[in-house]
Amino acid sequence: MSYPEEVYGSMVFSDNVMREKLTKKAYESLKRTAEFALPLDPEIADEVAHAMREWAVLKGATHFTHWFMPLTGVTAEKHEAFVTPTSDGKAIMEFSGKELIKGESDASSFPSGGLRESFEARGYTAWDCTSPAFVKDCSLYIPTVFCSYSGEALDQKTPLLRSMECLNRQTLRLLNHLSDHTTKRVSSMVGAEQEYFLVDRELYQERLDLSMCGRTLVGAKPPKSQKIGAHYYGRIRLRVMAFMKELDEELWKLGVPAKTKHNEAAPAQHELANVYSTANITCDHNNLTMEMMRKVAKKHGLACLLHEKPFRNVNGSGKHNNWSLVTDEGKNLLNPGKTPQENLSFILILCAILKGIDEHQDLLKYSVSSLGNDERLGGFEAPPSIISVYLGEELTEILSAIEENRPPNLKNGETIKLGVTSIPTLPKDTSDRNRTSPFAFTGNKFEFRMCGSAQSVAMPNYVLNSIVAYEFSRIADRLDVAKNSGREIKNEINAIILEIIRKHKKIIFNGNNYAKEWQAEAKTRGLNISNCAIDNFEAIVAEKNIKLFERLRVLSRLECSARHEITYQIFKNTLQLELETLEIMIKRQIIPCVLKYINEMASGVLALQTLGLSTRVQKKVIDVLNGRIGELYDLVDQFDSIEELSTEELKEFYKQNWFPKVEKARALCDELEDLIPKNLWPFPTYTDLMFKL
């Protein structure tokens, strides 16, 4: 058995390794670059590359790869050997500073959204020295960004790093007006909670929809469901525990701080949460987590499902994004302190965030919009697609008191008494948690609960960072004017806080987001209530949002336009894949299966008639089956290709054609599944997949 302290970070070119392998000058220079986003000193590149290569070879590496996040939604890598042939027919192991810093990739097959012509192939990868390199599968992995020949971001990480830098700049400006002159850097810190399903791999491979699309396109509801509640936080099955144990060890080796694991609400659903880190490192860690989940599951004869809604009628999977702001001195700027009503800095920062979320609801929704998340959001298992902010009773009361110019009515120091003398009295938190809120304050951080389980956390975080940085910059601009005009800064801050509360308190909602009444109330408040992913895609090219990104230099107008086009293309491709997969399953598996059973039933009817026995039930079943199979056959004939549809035509198809046709086809298939004997049904059922692990 390996102990965490023995294996943790053993495959990472960590700070300790750098301190040991590099000269003091090179180590300190690299640390300054990473910590304060300074330009990399090219003079140390060869020394760092040499040390990396020597260390990696001792760990079994023969190759290196620049590891990046193109706009495909998954990571990418191209492996190069350290080996360089020599004139005497032998070889030496080499790795230069140039190879470390910069790589060249054929970018022609990656989505670019029109940033370049399709025949222009060159793309560059550049080392992200703020995220440590690591060894995996006999290769040295170097985290990088990915850009076009002309410098546009072709990846998710570049805008994330840009957003982190601009958020740092604007927060420091704001803190300076709040009399904080010692903080040198502020980082967006993120902790990602990853939900996932595990099913038997042999059963998974027998279902075309699971292996092609990651989710079931048909499937009758099983007799046992999650309503019994036996799975949530229940005993972890031995086979799953073996998987989790190996997953933890593999992640720990790579420096991924896997911390919490448990059974989730749905049968066969589980969760893993990592310890907080900076947003870009958390992004890398979460990508590694998803990759290792799939890899380790395969070794255990399992398949890991990361789709947002693998099974109809049971909970889907999300990825809770816990976000906060922390200074280089370790101070959490979202920590209210013991008396938040007297903490001017916290109240101002809180109000700025509220304003940003209210004004850019559309952009935040865009960052999590996908076909998979459309299946999950609003299903009484995850937040609805309406953006609102949960603050809890105490903070809401404080903001109300500020607006009404009165002392807040707070209930400090309450305890929970259980009535059992052997159990100590428990201190009561200032507010309960709200699992239905899409954006909830949870004590010293915000939990963005709308992220899809399969997506990278890069986009939600660069959008969130940008929204907050934008509001900080506008407030700092106003305070600059006040200072130059000789006005009292504290009075100006109080005025800003009061204005924000009055104008943007409509985004605060502490109640049940699942309630039907909330849907109506949100509309009267003027909140964005669109519940269809494709309606959110326009946010990235809305003029107000382009101006936000351009002001902060996170995305250019051209880069926004490219992401708009790529989002539609990915959505269309996913729709087409699911449509074709469903058609194949119906035509090649379900219809033949039903026809075979009808023939068997018909033969049985003839046999019963020769014996003079009643055939009433058999004939009725045949009539029902024949009617349903006829409807299904006619419906599948109406499935059309959507490859050539324009953006507007795709919207129309998705809303008017996709749901009526596909949902009707699914309902017919599920009804047929309930009528066909188990031994004849062509693929594993929900009961097989979720309850027979």
Side-chain angles (χ1 to χ4, degrees), residues 72-92:
T72 56
V74 294
T75 57
E77 54 200 58
K78 181 181 77 169
H79 299 255
E80 303 276 359
F82 289 128
V83 174
T84 301
T86 59
S87 58
D88 58 358
K90 296 183 179 181
I92 58 174

Side-chain angles (χ1 to χ4, degrees), residues 13 115 159 162 207 242 313 351 419 434 547 561 616 655:
F13 193 70
L115 287 174
R162 291 172 181 170
R207 290 200 57 131
N313 298 315
C351 287
N434 188 328
K547 288 181 178 178
S561 178
R616 182 181 63 84
K655 293 180 178 180

Side-chain angles (χ1 to χ4, degrees), residues 415-428:
T415 59
I416 301 173
K417 299 176 182 178
L418 298 176
V420 180
T421 55
S422 60
I423 296 178
T425 299
L426 303 176
K428 192 173 186 178

Side-chain angles (χ1 to χ4, degrees), residues 85-104:
T86 59
S87 58
D88 58 358
K90 296 183 179 181
I92 58 174
M93 302 285 273
E94 287 186 327
F95 182 48
S96 68
K98 182 180 178 181
E99 290 173 308
L100 168 64
I101 292 174
K102 176 186 171 186
E104 183 179 341

Side-chain angles (χ1 to χ4, degrees), residues 40 74 108 225 227 349 465 547 550 567 612:
L40 179 70
V74 294
S108 61
S225 70
K227 291 181 180 178
I349 288 171
N465 288 347
K547 288 181 178 178
E550 286 192 320
T567 302

Side-chain angles (χ1 to χ4, degrees), residues 466-577:
S466 299
I467 287 171
V468 174
Y470 184 64
E471 296 307 329
F472 284 0
S473 72
R474 295 168 76 185
I475 292 173
D477 288 348
R478 181 168 166 179
L479 294 177
D480 286 344
V481 172
K483 183 178 180 180
N484 294 335
S485 302
R487 298 201 301 271
E488 177 63 43
I489 291 295
K490 187 174 181 180
N491 291 341
E492 190 71 17
I493 289 173
N494 287 330
I496 291 170
I497 289 172
L498 186 58
E499 287 174 18
I500 291 175
I501 293 172
R502 286 175 174 169
K503 187 173 181 180
H504 300 284
K505 63 183 178 181
K506 66 178 185 292
I507 198 69
I508 302 170
F509 181 65
N510 295 329
N512 180 6
N513 287 256
Y514 293 170
K516 291 181 180 179
E517 293 79 9
W518 169 234
Q519 312 286 322
E521 183 181 338
K523 187 175 183 178
T524 61
R525 291 190 185 193
L527 302 183
N528 184 324
I529 62 170
S530 67
N531 60 0
C532 181
I534 206 164
D535 288 334
N536 301 324
F537 293 170
E538 299 305 313
I540 191 68
V541 288
E543 192 61 29
K544 69 180 181 68
N545 295 330
I546 291 176
K547 288 181 178 178
L548 177 151
F549 284 128
E550 286 192 320
R551 170 171 173 158
L552 300 172
R553 299 193 297 276
V554 171
L555 289 173
S556 67
R557 181 177 294 271
L558 189 59
E559 288 169 334
C560 288
S561 178
R563 277 153 178 76
H564 176 255
E565 183 176 326
I566 291 169
T567 302
Y568 270 107
Q569 193 60 50
I570 290 174
F571 193 86
K572 180 194 292 186
N573 292 343
T574 307
L575 273 180
Q576 185 67 36
L577 172 62

Side-chain angles (χ1 to χ4, degrees), residues 58 149 157 189 233 237 239 341 376 504 618 625:
L58 291 175
Y149 180 74
K157 196 172 202 183
M189 303 293 289
Y233 275 34
R237 301 173 190 175
R239 189 175 176 188
Q341 68 272 25
R376 165 181 166 260
H504 300 284
Q618 289 82 351
L625 290 173

Side-chain angles (χ1 to χ4, degrees), residues 197-201 204 210 268 301-303 305 311 689-690 693:
F197 281 81
L198 290 175
V199 298
D200 186 276
R201 190 162 196 85
Y204 162 86
L210 279 181
L302 302 168
L305 308 180
F311 303 103
L689 291 164
M690 290 190 288
L693 191 61

